[in-house]
Amino acid sequence: MGYRILEGVRILDLTMVFAGPMSSRILVDLGAEVIKIESAVRPDVMTRTNVYPENELGEEPWNRGFTYHALNAGKKGITLNLGSDEGKKLFRRLVGISDVVMENFSPRVMENWGLGYEELRRIKPDIIMVSMSGLGHYGPLRDFYMYMPGMEGMSGLAHLTGFPQDPPLLSGHAYGDWALGAAGAAALLIALYHRQRTGRGQYIDVAGREAVICQIGELIMDCFLNNREPMRVGNYHSSAAPHGCYRCKGSDEWINIVIENDEQWRNFCRVMGNPAWTKDERFANALSRWENREELDRKVEEWTQRYNHYELMGILQDISVPSGAVLSMKELHLDPHISQRGFFEVIDHGKGIGKRPIAKQMPAKFSDVEEFVPRRAPRFGQDNEEVFCNLLGMSKGELEKLEEEKAIGGTFTFIRGKPARINLIEKQGSCSVDPDYLSELSRHYGDDIGPT
């Protein structure tokens, strides 16, 4: 469910790819009106061509990419060519009736369009502008191109992630983008509160690299205070053992286990049946267990492989040993705890896609706010008439003229043949395909999941 906390706040969303759309989707979940602005010249290609339902392009592939649907549910969608003079005029008019402008272009783009913060302030003095980029809009590296791998590498995160004998490892799923998006949304909420108190808007510059650095603060402080350079340690911990990811009984099933103290260790030994090896001096206390952690992990995994990962999590949680089953994406969708909390919302995405469970981007539940279910993500240019005619008071004739002048509208031409991801999945080089997935989802959510 979304919550009507920011109702009445209007946001012009120029963001693309992951970080920006995820950030503004958080604000949708909090009740803000978000108008996603795209151009046919340069649409949000990365999300619109990323993960197609049933791996099929369909009639309008640009409206089927499911990353787009997940990150833009609840938004309005308009088309606007900011490279044209008329497009800039329309954008300025929209700024005059809005509260926030969000963008995640490279630092020079908005200024080159003549739409930087100082210009927006002249239009609406209390406007709030949020700029999200890899390295920020100030500093000697501001004009460097930066995507998720660069942000994770330059933050120090990749240097810490991986195994001692291996090279640095990326998070695997754009962690830097998610960190940047969450930081951008949090900063905007603070700015809205500040404006409520003072009546003043402001400019917010959020750097993805710095957002990731904030997530590894204890390691940075350890280096500053103790002159200790942290190294890659895989799943090991600096002081706890056992501490890691252990194979379970099923195919590719795993569980994470953490033993923090001697009491947890005694409980753990008891539930294993106190095998003889647990009496070995090498495992007698926390320090000796840590010093012999590789052999300890081998012994622990001999035992964990007797159990299903969910089953073993229950056994260990019953004796107060921190543990968690490692879930696949399918297990996550079918997890009863997640479902009961309403984290995935079933939204009808219309013809060719149908009802699908969509994850929230605001993982919080509020006790005393009106709830709502976000509408589906907009088709390309779906809300042009509502925004330009109803909000700006334009006539349909004026709208048609703008389309002829290519200030708005346009058609997609960027998909030629099957995108690489389609071919990859068809070969199943890095994925497996479950033919019963939709029927299982339908049973689990009590709704008809799948294309209509």
Side-chain angles (χ1 to χ4, degrees), residues 2 4-5 13 21-22 47 62 87 99 103 106 112 115 127 133 193 203 210 224 268 316 326 360 397-398 425 442 449:
R4 299 191 187 282
I5 296 172
D13 180 10
M22 173 268 193
T47 58
W62 54 87
D99 301 284
E103 59 92 11
S106 57
N112 287 348
L115 298 173
I127 196 75
S133 61
Y193 175 69
Y203 177 68
E210 295 165 17
F224 287 165
F268 187 63
L316 295 178
V326 177
K360 296 178 179 180
E398 289 176 299
I425 295 176
S442 297
I449 305 297

Side-chain angles (χ1 to χ4, degrees), residues 363-425:
K365 298 181 76 67
F366 297 85
S367 66
D368 191 29
V369 185
E370 182 184 350
E371 299 178 345
F372 70 97
V373 176
R375 71 176 191 171
R376 74 184 189 194
R379 302 300 193 258
F380 186 70
Q382 171 185 303
D383 300 297
N384 280 352
E385 185 173 328
E386 178 184 347
V387 171
F388 293 122
C389 296
N390 294 351
L391 292 184
L392 295 185
M394 298 172 64
S395 67
K396 291 186 179 180
E398 289 176 299
L399 203 64
E400 291 172 359
K401 183 180 179 183
L402 288 169
E403 289 176 351
E404 291 172 3
E405 295 173 348
K406 301 189 184 306
I408 66 172
T411 57
F412 278 75
T413 58
F414 63 85
I415 294 181
R416 296 180 178 87
K418 289 188 176 183
R421 176 175 278 272
I422 290 282
N423 295 324
L424 173 67
I425 295 176

Side-chain angles (χ1 to χ4, degrees), residues 303-314:
W303 178 73
T304 60
Q305 290 185 81
R306 304 175 189 176
Y307 298 90
N308 165 275
H309 60 336
Y310 262 115
E311 174 191 15
L312 185 54
M313 178 176 67

Side-chain angles (χ1 to χ4, degrees), residues 160-225:
L160 302 170
T161 308
F163 293 90
Q165 69 277 13
D166 294 332
L169 194 65
L170 295 174
S171 64
H173 189 61
Y175 182 82
D177 282 328
W178 308 123
L180 171 56
L188 174 55
L189 292 175
I190 296 167
L192 287 169
Y193 175 69
H194 177 264
R195 190 181 70 172
Q196 185 180 45
R197 290 178 56 245
T198 67
R200 299 195 301 271
Q202 61 188 291
Y203 177 68
I204 304 172
D205 173 25
V206 190
R209 176 194 188 185
E210 295 165 17
V212 179
I213 291 173
C214 291
Q215 310 305 313
I216 55 174
E218 79 283 5
L219 296 169
I220 292 172
M221 293 308 298
D222 192 32
C223 183
F224 287 165
L225 297 174

Side-chain angles (χ1 to χ4, degrees), residues 31 66 72 183 221 224 227 230 237-238 258 271 274 290 324 334 337 359 378:
F66 221 73
N72 294 288
M221 293 308 298
F224 287 165
N227 196 28
H237 189 268
S238 60
V258 174
V271 83
N274 290 312
W290 186 86
L334 301 177
H337 180 81

